[in-house]
Amino acid sequence: DTAVSQTPKYLVTQMGNDKSIKCEQNLGHDTMYWYKQDSKKFLKIMFSYNNKELIINETVPNRFSPKSPDKAHLNLHINSLELGDSAVYFCASSEMTQNYGYTFGSGTRLTVV
Amino acid sequence: AQSVTQLDSQVPVFEEAPVELRCNYSSSVSVYLFWYVQYPNQGLQLLLKYLSGSTLVESINGFEAEFNKSQTSFHLRKPSVHISDTAEYFCAVGGPSYDKVIFGPGTSLSVIP
């Protein structure tokens, strides 16, 4: 069983489109995250939810909107995609206290053309 | 605010040679320190962590890291590397007072046969 699963793994789309990435974890963790990894491998946190409540909302364009229907799921919807949105997006989860580290999904490679 | 510096963006090393990947952090309060590994086209995996107690921590595949509070460092070492260790390595800092983990820019380790 995959602990943190993301779909789709690859996403190629045109500028201006709207797309969603889904994430699910079966670890029973309370907290989930979205990270963006750019072409230089730099990782930047975007959002974090704890038990369906938004707790971290970094400086991210309003075109990005996370949704957490329950604590096992965290989806990312992106409106009006731009070329600069091309990146790998990682979902992760952790227990609230961070002590055990994060468990990451395998990533979604988004390419905007 | 926390920050993480990884001085070496790329480290080439011959197979069976020792390696050290450097990590320095900045924080005014107590910290948790992590090393993550990212193999090509995969998500990040927790390699080892320091929370408290013994300053030397080890992973199951032969890596170790030592927390040095006076030098604010958490360098990763392995006495003899294998081809399979080729990957991107990320140092990260969190802590009981912080709501997220901050990742360093990563070090690309290339093991040469």
Side-chain angles (χ1 to χ4, degrees), chain A residues 9 35 37 41-43 45 56 58 90 97-102 104-106 109, chain B residues 32 34 36 38 41-44 46 49 51 90 94-95 98-101 103 105:
Chain A
K9 190 170 177 63
Y35 275 83
Q37 186 175 47
K41 303 281 188 179
F42 186 73
L43 276 160
I45 191 166
I56 297 174
E58 295 291 298
F90 285 102
T97 59
Q98 307 174 12
N99 286 13
Y100 299 100
Y102 291 178
F104 280 83
S106 57
R109 183 174 294 276
Chain B
Y32 301 146
F34 308 88
Y36 285 82
Q38 183 179 26
N41 298 314
Q42 294 187 26
L44 283 75
L46 181 64
K49 63 184 178 183
L51 303 180
F90 293 91
Y98 296 104
D99 59 2
K100 60 181 178 283
V101 169
F103 287 84

Side-chain angles (χ1 to χ4, degrees), chain B residues 23-45:
Chain B
C23 172
N24 289 89
Y25 69 91
S26 172
S27 176
S28 58
V29 296
S30 61
V31 295
Y32 301 146
L33 293 160
F34 308 88
W35 275 100
Y36 285 82
V37 58
Q38 183 179 26
Y39 298 105
N41 298 314
Q42 294 187 26
L44 283 75
Q45 301 171 32

Side-chain angles (χ1 to χ4, degrees), chain B residues 34-112:
Chain B
F34 308 88
W35 275 100
Y36 285 82
V37 58
Q38 183 179 26
Y39 298 105
N41 298 314
Q42 294 187 26
L44 283 75
Q45 301 171 32
L46 181 64
L47 189 60
L48 47 74
K49 63 184 178 183
Y50 168 81
L51 303 180
S52 65
S54 174
T55 57
L56 185 66
V57 291
E58 298 177 352
S59 72
I60 58 173
N61 58 351
F63 282 94
E64 65 178 30
E66 186 162 18
F67 170 56
N68 187 319
K69 188 175 181 180
S70 62
Q71 296 186 8
T72 60
S73 67
F74 191 56
H75 301 332
L76 182 70
R77 294 187 290 264
K78 189 171 185 179
S80 174
V81 295
H82 302 291
I83 296 291
S84 59
D85 293 324
T86 294
E88 193 84 16
Y89 290 79
F90 293 91
C91 183
V93 61
S97 304
Y98 296 104
D99 59 2
K100 60 181 178 283
V101 169
I102 302 296
F103 287 84
T107 296
S108 178
L109 174 64
S110 299
V111 180
I112 306 163

Side-chain angles (χ1 to χ4, degrees), chain A residues 32-76:
Chain A
M32 296 184 73
Y33 310 82
W34 279 111
Y35 275 83
K36 179 180 180 181
Q37 186 175 47
D38 63 24
S39 58
K40 295 184 178 180
K41 303 281 188 179
F42 186 73
L43 276 160
K44 183 174 169 56
I45 191 166
M46 302 172 69
F47 303 103
S48 172
Y49 271 76
N50 176 252
N51 202 12
K52 300 194 296 179
E53 181 183 347
L54 181 66
I55 57 172
I56 297 174
N57 187 350
E58 295 291 298
T59 308
V60 176
N62 291 337
R63 301 180 293 103
F64 291 80
S65 55
K67 281 189 171 55
S68 182
D70 55 61
K71 77 171 193 175
H73 295 84
L74 179 61
N75 303 323
L76 183 65

